[in-house]
Amino acid sequence: MKVEGVTDAYVLPRDEGELQRLNLQYAYLKRLVTDGRVIYDKGVDITSEFRLLDSATGTGAWALDAAEQLPTSVEIHAADLSSNNFPPSPPSNVHFSLASVTNLPQDWTESFDFVNQRLLFGALLRKQWTEALSEIYRVLKPGGAVQFVEIDLYHPVPESPTVMHYCRVHEETFKKAGLFCDVGRNLHDLLLGYGFIGVKSEARHNPMGKMWGEIGMQGAKAFGGALRKAWSIFVKEGAVKTKEEYDKLMDRVEQEWDEQGTQYHCMIVTARKPFV
């Protein structure tokens, strides 16, 4: 099922293979970006009556992990535009809802202590980020906290030839499609503009390729898998003529990851809603 009447700009499929990739990606990001914690900001005081929202939850990996790490009295909500990848039997304190981040339920106003959201640079149009941030601000309680994770694909280290060529193609394609491809590096200022306080942005290294061993191969499988599945938008926007042409480009990108030990940055951005 999907929410009707909402623009769905998501560039990836919602099938069993994507469910598995998303869960692998979550484990990778948890290890490298949030240091094994569901809530990165150690200053967030979790009480027995805490209420959490996982915005654009996808497979519900973060919400399910939060249920394992936090007391059972904590109430966890998980919302997404599509229910295709919702788990069949979540814990009793985890509640899944069909809802768009651009139009969350009205009765959620000022009802959450914490909101988590990750990797929507390939899902929300630039104009939809305005609606999404406004909605997140609305549903947070005064003093509530937010956590965003977004990857920056445009400043890899090292800047090897094929990887940089792909960066340019990716950026041009996503901009043509109206997506906010570099939102990770802009979230700090965007949150300040919406009235959030205590905004902190940190870049964490995400290694790709065999040079980094097991973790690099996990990253390549998680993010390389995502990039490969996004082939249709590159054909649609004229970056390549066919899927085969795109696959050959990705072959060269992944070869360079293996040979160069490429690293990208994931931006983790935290903030609070003021009490007044």
Side-chain angles (χ1 to χ4, degrees):
M1 292 180 61
K2 287 175 62 176
V3 175
E4 296 182 0
V6 177
T7 300
D8 184 4
Y10 192 52
V11 300
L12 298 176
R14 294 183 175 95
D15 54 24
E16 179 63 28
E18 180 61 3
L19 185 152
Q20 295 176 11
R21 187 201 67 79
L22 285 169
N23 288 338
L24 173 69
Q25 176 180 273
Y26 175 73
Y28 174 81
L29 293 174
K30 177 184 173 184
R31 177 176 171 182
L32 291 173
V33 179
T34 62
D35 295 339
R37 302 190 298 276
V38 290
I39 297 178
Y40 183 67
D41 184 355
K42 293 181 179 179
V44 175
D45 183 21
I46 303 169
T47 69
S48 60
E49 297 180 352
F50 221 57
R51 201 162 184 254
L52 311 180
L53 172 64
D54 189 21
S55 170
T57 190
T59 67
W62 184 90
L64 298 177
D65 195 14
E68 288 189 6
Q69 292 194 35
L70 303 177
T72 56
S73 60
V74 170
E75 185 177 332
I76 302 166
H77 288 259
D80 200 277
L81 186 64
S82 168
S83 62
N84 284 24
N85 287 332
F86 286 178
S89 302
S92 60
N93 64 325
V94 181
H95 311 280
F96 283 82
S97 299
L98 196 61
S100 169
V101 66
T102 63
N103 186 23
L104 296 171
Q106 286 301 309
D107 60 359
W108 284 1
T109 298
E110 294 191 353
S111 65
F112 291 103
D113 300 280
F114 186 87
V115 175
N116 173 73
Q117 183 176 287
R118 66 195 178 281
L119 297 181
L120 291 193
F121 76 99
L124 292 179
L125 300 174
R126 180 178 288 268
K127 62 183 180 181
Q128 288 179 309
W129 276 95
T130 299
E131 300 164 350
L133 295 180
S134 177
E135 285 293 273
I136 289 172
Y137 190 92
R138 175 177 66 81
V139 302
L140 269 177
K141 294 178 182 178
V146 291
Q147 171 177 290
F148 296 88
V149 173
E150 291 290 341
I151 194 167
D152 172 14
L153 291 174
Y154 307 123
H155 299 85
V157 179
E159 294 184 347
S160 53
T162 303
V163 167
M164 288 309 298
H165 169 67
Y166 182 80
C167 287
R168 292 189 291 271
V169 169
H170 190 283
E171 185 174 20
E172 180 181 351
T173 299
F174 272 45
K175 284 184 176 178
K176 281 184 177 180
L179 294 160
F180 199 166
C181 51
D182 57 346
V183 67
R185 287 184 173 260
N186 287 275
L187 269 173
H188 181 278
D189 292 343
L190 286 171
L191 291 174
L192 287 175
Y194 274 89
F196 287 94
I197 60 174
V199 182
K200 297 179 181 178
S201 181
E202 185 177 346
R204 305 299 301 269
H205 293 295
N206 282 207
M208 306 284 170
K210 293 178 180 178
M211 185 177 289
W212 294 102
E214 177 270 333
I215 193 64
M217 289 187 285
Q218 185 181 12
K221 186 175 182 180
F223 283 100
L227 297 178
R228 282 187 179 275
K229 290 182 179 183
W231 64 269
S232 60
I233 192 173
F234 291 85
V235 174
K236 179 182 177 181
E237 299 299 337
V240 294
K241 293 181 180 179
T242 64
K243 179 180 183 297
E244 290 71 26
E245 181 183 346
Y246 182 77
D247 284 341
K248 288 179 181 178
L249 174 58
M250 279 303 307
D251 288 342
R252 298 196 301 274
V253 167
E254 291 184 342
Q255 180 181 351
E256 230 167 58
W257 287 353
D258 287 339
E259 294 173 350
Q260 301 292 329
T262 304
Q263 292 188 81
Y264 296 93
H265 293 99
C266 250
M267 312 301 296
I268 180 160
V269 187
T270 59
R272 302 289 181 103
K273 180 177 179 177
F275 282 99
V276 291

